[in-house]
């Protein structure tokens, strides 16, 4: 019998930069679109149907005593390949439980900081999709920002910390993943906050996220100061916690900047994006720690597995912030766009409450990489 590995175990390895060899048996086009990545991860792609007649060819690429983790879409084919490899004399084979489907749903909590008044701030890294969400804790209360749809993970974490989730906040209407913010607020009897300019078409009640509406978490007040910062969407709103942490949503990333086209308004919104990045953020303190809602590249993960950078440093080295000429900037953000996220229109409709797909359908809608960034 081959051994299995959980996404938990694999995530710890990726974060800890342990040498890891993966054999991905999905079709090459699926593999090219989206794969497991990490600083110390090597991946070999050998489609399942190439191995049906035997796995002998693998011994040319993999030492038979080397540890190898076999991965497929949902965990079925990888199990079969792992067993075939064992029969062929490979001695150290694991298959990843649940495959890429499970990997895309794994959230890894990483502590970002202790807050001034005894609270703490955590980042939840969705390694399989590049989504980043946050939990700010103070006394016995918590706020969750840009929650993914796997709300049970936040509930379990809050339970472990002995806190109640009082607020959930979306910095904008997401187009690449289904938000868990509203569902989490319903489940915890909390308040769901959304920027009103992104909420024109929503079908549910929400509390407007706007400047002047500070959100207090715990009696110690983590001052959540929303900063209107349009560009990725017309309502995009950044959040400043403790005067130290700038949660930028999808406006600014560590290595790139947000794309303004996911509601079909690139030409209209590029001016807002520039205004936010080159004026509004510029006026903030260089010492603020930028905490984005996504990352696109493995090298954005720091030593501890978190994704963050000082605002001043980003003005020195993030290519999207170096374009002085306005026309050049406009060209960059309207011409250098990656393909739009899979099903992004239906994801937006789900986040507006206009459609309510079954859970399995929601999973399928999200499969694949996040594509919220402009790459110069």
């Amino acid at each position: 019998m081959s051994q299995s590995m959980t996404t938990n175990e694999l995530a710890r390895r990726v974060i800890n930069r342990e040498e890891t060899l993966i054999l991905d048996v999905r079709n090459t086009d699926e593999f090219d679109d989206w794969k497991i990545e990490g600083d110390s991860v090597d991946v070999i792609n050998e489609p399942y149907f190439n191995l049906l007649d035997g796995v002998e060819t693998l011994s040319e690429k993999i030492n038979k005593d080397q540890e190898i983790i076999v991965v497929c879409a949902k965990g079925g084919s990888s199990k079969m390949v792992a067993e075939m490899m064992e029969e062929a004399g490979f001695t150290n084979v694991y298959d990843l439980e649940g495959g890429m489907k499970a990997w895309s749903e794994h959230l890894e909590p990483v502590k970002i900081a202790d807050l001034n008044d005894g609270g703490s701030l955590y980042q939840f890294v969705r390694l399989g999709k590049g989504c980043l969400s946050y939990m700010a804790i103070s006394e016995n209360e918590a706020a969750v920002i840009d929650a993914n749809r796997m709300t049970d993970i936040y509930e379990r974490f809050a339970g472990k910390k002995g806190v109640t989730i009082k607020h959930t906040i979306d910095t904008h209407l997401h187009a690449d993943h289904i938000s868990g913010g509203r569902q989490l607020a319903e489940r915890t009897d909390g308040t769901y906050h959304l920027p009103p300019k992104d909420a024109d078409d929503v079908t549910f009640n929400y509390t407007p996220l706007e400047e002047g509406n500070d959100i207090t978490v715990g009696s110690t007040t983590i001052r959540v100061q929303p900063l209107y910062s349009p560009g990725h969407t017309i309502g995009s709103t950044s959040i400043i916690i403790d005067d130290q942490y700038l949660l930028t949503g999808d406006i600014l990333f560590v290595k790139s900047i947000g794309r303004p086209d996911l509601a079909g308004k690139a030409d209209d919104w590029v001016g807002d994006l520039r205004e936010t990045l080159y004026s509004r953020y510029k006026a903030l303190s260089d010492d603020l720690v930028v905490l984005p809602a996504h990352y696109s590249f493995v090298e954005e993960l720091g030593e501890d597995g978190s994704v963050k950078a000082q605002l001043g440093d980003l003005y020195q080295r993030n290519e999207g912030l170096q374009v002085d000429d306005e026309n050049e900037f406009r060209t960059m953000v309207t011409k250098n766009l990656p393909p739009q996220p899979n099903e992004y229109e239906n994801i937006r409709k789900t986040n507006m409450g206009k459609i309510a797909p079954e859970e399995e359908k929601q999973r399928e809608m999200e499969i694949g990489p996040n594509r919220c960034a402009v790459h110069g």
Side-chain angles (χ1 to χ4, degrees):
M1 276 293 290
S2 65
Q3 315 162 80
S4 287
M5 181 173 287
T6 64
T7 54
N8 258 339
E9 293 167 302
L10 181 56
R12 289 308 325 151
R13 288 175 167 230
V14 172
I15 295 259
N16 294 335
R17 291 176 157 73
E18 293 171 32
E19 293 295 327
T20 303
L21 180 62
I22 288 173
L23 172 65
D24 190 318
V25 298
R26 294 173 302 149
N27 289 339
T28 301
D29 56 343
E30 293 170 51
F31 171 80
D32 287 343
D33 189 41
W34 176 54
K35 55 176 121 10
I36 294 173
E37 295 177 281
D39 208 36
S40 304
V41 174
D42 281 323
V43 192
I44 295 167
N45 175 226
E46 194 60 70
Y48 174 65
F49 61 81
N50 292 355
L51 301 170
L52 288 177
D53 295 334
V55 294
E56 284 66 33
T57 52
L58 291 175
S59 54
E60 294 160 23
K61 301 177 184 177
I62 304 163
N63 178 324
K64 286 199 168 177
D65 295 322
Q66 197 171 0
E67 184 195 73
I68 180 96
I69 303 159
V70 189
V71 176
C72 67
K74 294 179 182 172
S77 312
S78 60
K79 204 166 190 50
M80 289 175 68
V81 170
E83 283 167 4
M84 287 164 71
M85 288 174 75
E86 296 235 305
E87 282 164 24
F90 287 85
T91 61
N92 204 355
V93 185
Y94 291 83
D95 75 277
L96 183 67
E97 282 176 25
M100 290 299 283
K101 183 164 139 185
W103 182 244
S104 99
E105 295 190 342
H106 179 82
L107 297 180
E108 188 68 25
V110 179
K111 187 173 181 180
I112 295 292
D114 288 318
L115 298 174
N116 289 336
D117 295 318
S120 44
L121 182 60
Y122 289 87
Q123 182 181 66
F124 288 74
V125 183
R126 191 171 174 186
L127 289 159
K129 198 159 169 61
C131 299
L132 301 168
S133 48
Y134 298 88
M135 186 183 291
I137 292 173
S138 175
E139 295 220 331
N140 56 356
E141 293 183 2
V144 177
I145 299 112
D146 289 329
N148 288 271
R149 65 180 161 76
M150 295 79 72
T151 53
D152 55 321
I153 297 172
Y154 306 104
E155 289 184 74
R156 283 203 303 271
F157 192 80
K160 215 164 67 183
K161 298 287 175 197
V163 298
T164 305
I165 295 169
K166 287 287 190 191
H167 299 277
T168 65
I169 301 164
D170 272 327
T171 54
H172 63 289
L173 189 83
H174 295 280
D176 73 302
H177 71 275
I178 293 163
S179 165
R182 189 163 52 103
Q183 183 190 347
L184 186 56
E186 281 166 12
R187 290 176 60 91
T188 57
D189 208 19
T191 306
Y192 174 56
H193 305 258
L194 184 66
K197 288 191 175 171
D198 275 0
D200 282 351
D201 295 324
V202 304
T203 62
F204 45 79
N205 293 327
Y206 66 95
T207 297
L209 178 71
E210 49 195 348
E211 286 181 72
N213 284 7
D214 270 2
I215 299 163
T216 303
V217 185
S219 59
T220 50
T221 311
I222 295 174
R223 221 171 99 253
V224 178
Q225 174 203 339
L227 169 76
Y228 180 50
S229 43
H232 175 68
T233 65
I234 195 63
S236 286
T237 299
S238 306
I239 287 169
I240 298 177
I241 295 178
D242 246 6
D243 294 324
Q244 274 182 289
Y245 302 97
L246 175 66
L247 278 65
T248 53
D250 284 351
I251 285 289
L252 175 61
F253 308 118
V254 169
K255 274 190 160 302
S256 51
I257 59 175
R259 57 191 290 174
D261 69 312
L262 293 180
K265 303 265 175 67
D267 290 334
D268 298 353
W269 289 356
V270 66
D272 289 319
L273 182 64
R274 185 173 176 85
E275 169 71 14
T276 293
L277 293 173
Y278 285 70
S279 299
R280 282 176 187 238
Y281 277 4
K282 213 56 190 265
L284 301 172
S285 163
D286 275 353
D287 295 336
L288 282 171
V289 176
V290 170
L291 296 169
H294 284 105
Y295 69 97
S296 300
F297 306 100
V298 162
E299 51 272 24
E300 290 172 82
L301 287 170
E303 287 294 313
D304 59 353
S306 70
V307 179
K308 60 182 190 286
Q310 279 197 307
L311 185 58
D313 289 347
L314 294 187
Y315 277 110
Q316 300 299 313
R317 59 166 205 254
N318 182 318
E319 285 177 20
L321 299 177
Q322 315 291 322
V323 186
D324 292 331
D325 182 271
E326 197 158 335
N327 288 328
E328 204 181 310
F329 181 84
R330 183 173 285 274
T331 303
M332 177 181 77
V333 299
T334 53
K335 302 286 186 290
N336 285 329
L337 296 170
Q340 294 184 311
N342 302 340
E343 297 254 26
Y344 78 102
E345 274 299 352
N346 283 334
I347 289 174
R348 289 182 77 239
K349 282 182 187 157
T350 305
N351 288 337
M352 290 173 190
K354 288 184 170 180
I355 58 173
E358 296 282 303
E359 189 174 355
E360 197 47 48
K361 175 63 182 157
Q362 291 191 25
R363 279 203 177 104
E364 281 168 27
M365 283 159 66
E366 286 192 336
I367 287 292
N370 90 71
R371 297 191 174 117
C372 280
V374 172
H375 304 305

